[in-house]
Amino acid sequence: QVQLVQSGSELKKPGASVKVSCKASGYTFTTYGINWVRLAPGQGLAWMGWINTNTGNPTYAQGFTERFVFSLDTSVSTAYLQISSLKAEDTAVYFCARKVLVRGKDVFDIWGQGTMVTVSS
Amino acid sequence: DIQMTQSPSSLSASVGDRVTITCRASQTISNFLNWYQQKPGKAPKLLIYAASSLQSGVPSRFGGSGSGTDFTLTISSLQPEDFATYYCQQSYSTPRTFGQGTKLEIK
């Protein structure tokens, strides 16, 4: 079936880096874009941006331009989110989500299960 | 950026109640409005897209309406599994912004 499976929870120290993976299966990976969404403790969903899986071109939301990098490995149908110079405020659950067009409007129809990233000394 | 404002932020209701959640955009977004449901520890789930279209597999007790700047999500008869947090999201322009969420709790 169509699914996105993310890598497991991470515990990192401030200043370290983390790379979260999002592996797609059940569909042609390069057909649909992958979005990244953050859920920080006590906050709502925040759209971080997306990556065009056909061209590899990323788009970042404001606030996610400095230390955040989206990348792909299309040979294994996987998208990645890398966060460098981690700070305590990066502690959150990070979701990947497939973007599809339905009647000319894009929706996030399939989501990964989420990856908890905890930044603590 | 388009700001999405949901009300209320939280809501207590009973099984069988009719519930309405509203979402207001800071500028017109036509019907580029989606609704998601999220339960604790789970990924969000798409309920409604294009303001009023029900995603495949979603129960018909969920309904959406609105256009322009004002939108509503209605649950006609609350079921135990509907207690969750609901988010609206605009897909009219980048960045794709979410509302702050409405937490629906059992009374």
Side-chain angles (χ1 to χ4, degrees), chain B residues 77-91:
Chain B
S77 178
L78 271 175
Q79 298 302 300
E81 60 269 29
D82 299 338
F83 293 94
T85 300
Y86 293 83
Y87 294 92
C88 62
Q89 180 227 4
Q90 62 83 17
S91 59

Side-chain angles (χ1 to χ4, degrees), chain A residues 7-49:
Chain A
S7 48
S9 299
E10 301 270 8
L11 173 61
K12 296 290 185 181
K13 295 190 183 301
S17 296
V18 68
K19 193 169 187 177
V20 175
S21 67
C22 170
K23 183 173 176 60
S25 61
Y27 72 98
T28 301
F29 181 64
T30 52
T31 302
Y32 305 109
I34 293 290
N35 286 254
W36 290 94
V37 177
R38 183 180 73 182
L39 181 65
Q43 297 184 29
L45 299 173
W47 183 75
M48 302 172 65

